[in-house]
């Protein structure tokens, strides 16, 4: 016969501990002092074991039976209910201390080695300003998509549409970290990911502006040359135009990344001049930043080599090509070139061109040129020169393609430099 709740309440202390059986291994254990606890007897790996479910009447008879049934289900999966109970207990303790801020700080600490200092500072600033005040102290397991969306809406109200999207990306990455540590489930990550559909679309024309006519680009360079900016900033603007690398890569470039140039002989030819940029400095998925096969090689045009030789006489005794204005130990400010474009020529280029725009300019001009000359294969070369890694391409495939197409990439880069020199 099974135990009844009435029998459990009526059980009194005796001279010795005893138990009242229920069913399926469940029984009520009564001590000599009258304490009553639910226990479950089972066998696992050939050994008899016991699991305690709690005190009666705090844990009712029906609740104890539910826990027994759960334990028996675990046994059917060839798992030890006691071990699983301990694992859940530890997970609950960990989750209780796993606030959103704690997980976010761990995520930043581990990712920062693959980020530039400026990006690291931006991520920290945005989290501290936009998310920590409302969500920082909450257990990450308690945070829902609507809660995050509410904070992103506040960013949108400031007019920072793109920033809201970036911050949402940080939150997704943080939740993926939490999922890996078993602090949240896959549904939580999916719920955060899906709020992107509720964010405002990027307004038309709010992308980084760019000039796309060669004559306009040439005039821009002339305006840079006529400006009152320092010589290194002017040369930085011209080198980014010739190499179409990202601003962060350019301003943190070091002299040891360049090869194939005889610095002692300014007239020596440099047909194999190359700028080798490590994967850690490229805009890649975090897991690819540690794989040097995803590094980027920039074949240098004759114009780029001449510029570098001129720059070498100015900053060649410094590690950075473009040292900062305050200290040679720091690189050029990430806003130096963009600020120049905004103020020069009486503000004529403000809202029309930014340093990143050289990449769009190169893509537009050289794709139009490819169409005019029926050079269909140039499209792939253009993407490779912009370091656009095709989705799903492995490191070995990417390295092989770059090596295979080095000569045509060099020719295309020279053609681009020649257009700008007209």
């Amino acid at each position: 016969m099974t135990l009844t709740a009435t029998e459990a309440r009526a059980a009194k202390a005796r001279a010795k501990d005893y138990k009242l059986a229920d069913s399926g291994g469940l029984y009520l254990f009564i001590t000599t002092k009258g304490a009553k606890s639910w226990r479950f007897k089972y066998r696992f790996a050939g050994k008899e074991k016991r699991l305690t479910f709690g005190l009666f009447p705090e844990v009712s008879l029906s609740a104890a039976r539910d826990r027994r049934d759960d334990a028996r289900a675990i046994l059917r999966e060839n798992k030890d209910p006691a071990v699983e109970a301990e694992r859940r207990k530890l997970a609950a303790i960990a989750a209780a201390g796993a606030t959103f801020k704690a997980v976010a700080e761990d995520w930043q600490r581990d990712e920062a080695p693959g980020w530039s200092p400026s990006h690291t500072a931006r991520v920290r600033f945005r989290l501290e300003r936009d998310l920590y005040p409302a969500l920082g102290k909450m257990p990450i397991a308690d945070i829902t998509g609507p809660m995050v969306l509410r904070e992103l809406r506040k960013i949108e109200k400031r007019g920072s549409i793109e920033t809201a999207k970036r911050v949402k990306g940080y939150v997704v990455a943080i939740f993926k970290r939490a999922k890996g540590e078993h602090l949240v489930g896959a549904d939580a990550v999916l719920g955060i990911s899906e709020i992107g559909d509720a964010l405002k679309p990027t307004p038309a024309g709010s992308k980084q502006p760019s000039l796309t006519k060669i004559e306009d680009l040439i005039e821009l360079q002339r305006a840079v040359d006529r400006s009152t900016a320092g010589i290194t900033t002017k040369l930085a603007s011209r080198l980014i135009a010739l190499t179409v690398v990202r601003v962060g890569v350019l301003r943190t470039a070091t002299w040891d990344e360049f090869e194939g140039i005889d610095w002692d002989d300014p007239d020596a030819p440099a047909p194999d001049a190359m700028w080798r940029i490590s994967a850690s400095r490229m805009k890649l998925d975090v897991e690819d930043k540690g794989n040097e096969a995803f590094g980027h090689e920039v074949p240098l045009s004759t114009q780029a080599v001449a510029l570098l030789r001129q720059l070498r006489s100015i900053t060649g005794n410094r590690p950075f090509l473009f040292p900062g204005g305050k200290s040679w130990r720091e690189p050029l400010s990430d806003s130096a070139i963009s600020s120049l474009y905004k103020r020069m020529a009486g503000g004529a280029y403000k809202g029309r061109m930014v340093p990143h725009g050289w990449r769009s300019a190169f893509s537009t001009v050289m794709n139009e040129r490819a169409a005019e000359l029926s050079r269909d294969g140039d499209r792939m070369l253009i993407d490779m020169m912009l370091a656009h890694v095709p989705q799903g391409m492995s490191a070995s495939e990417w390295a092989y393609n770059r090596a295979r197409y080095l000569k045509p990439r060099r020719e295309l880069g020279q053609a681009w430099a020649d257009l700008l020199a007209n």
Side-chain angles (χ1 to χ4, degrees), residues 14-208:
R14 298 178 183 174
K16 293 183 179 181
D17 298 340
Y18 68 101
K19 57 186 178 182
L20 297 177
D22 182 51
S23 61
L26 179 67
Y27 62 90
L28 186 66
F29 185 79
I30 303 98
T31 69
T32 55
K33 295 185 178 180
K36 306 172 186 178
S37 59
W38 294 110
R39 301 189 180 186
F40 171 59
K41 183 174 70 173
Y42 64 98
R43 296 188 68 83
F44 184 79
K47 295 183 180 180
E48 184 176 292
K49 305 188 74 173
R50 288 175 176 78
L51 192 60
T52 301
F53 293 149
L55 296 174
F56 178 83
E58 286 86 354
V59 177
S60 67
L61 174 59
S62 61
R65 286 171 175 166
D66 288 341
R67 297 183 187 184
R68 174 204 59 196
D69 293 343
D70 290 342
R72 290 172 68 87
I74 293 172
L75 277 170
R76 286 194 293 273
E77 296 176 358
N78 294 318
K79 296 179 181 179
D80 188 343
V83 173
E84 289 299 301
E86 181 65 17
R87 185 188 63 79
R88 291 173 182 175
K89 178 181 177 182
L90 293 175
I93 293 172
T99 63
F100 176 80
K101 182 176 181 180
V103 179
E105 294 291 306
D106 287 344
W107 170 72
Q108 290 177 84
R109 184 189 63 249
D110 290 347
E111 300 294 340
W115 294 343
S116 67
S118 60
H119 181 68
T120 300
R122 280 194 297 271
V123 172
R124 177 168 295 279
F125 174 73
R126 287 167 179 164
L127 291 174
E128 290 179 345
R129 179 183 62 176
D130 297 319
L131 295 179
Y132 287 171
L135 305 177
K137 295 181 180 180
M138 292 184 63
I140 193 166
D142 293 344
I143 294 175
T144 64
M147 292 179 184
V148 176
L149 182 59
R150 182 176 62 242
E151 303 310 311
L152 298 181
R153 291 284 193 223
K154 295 177 183 178
I155 301 174
E156 289 182 333
K157 288 181 180 179
R158 301 199 305 260
S160 303
I161 308 301
E162 285 301 307
T163 297
K165 297 180 188 297
R166 293 190 185 97
V167 172
K168 176 256 179 182
Y170 304 158
V171 179
V172 171
I174 292 166
F175 266 75
K176 287 182 177 178
R177 165 70 178 249
K179 175 179 175 291
E181 295 183 356
H182 300 284
L183 300 173
V184 301
D187 289 345
V189 178
L190 180 61
I192 299 298
S193 301
E194 289 179 341
I195 64 176
D197 296 335
L199 295 176
K200 294 181 178 179
T202 301
S206 65
K207 297 289 186 181
Q208 299 198 53

Side-chain angles (χ1 to χ4, degrees), residues 6 94 148 204 246 315 321 329 383:
T6 300
V148 176
R246 290 182 170 84
T315 66
L321 273 68
R329 294 184 178 86
D383 283 343

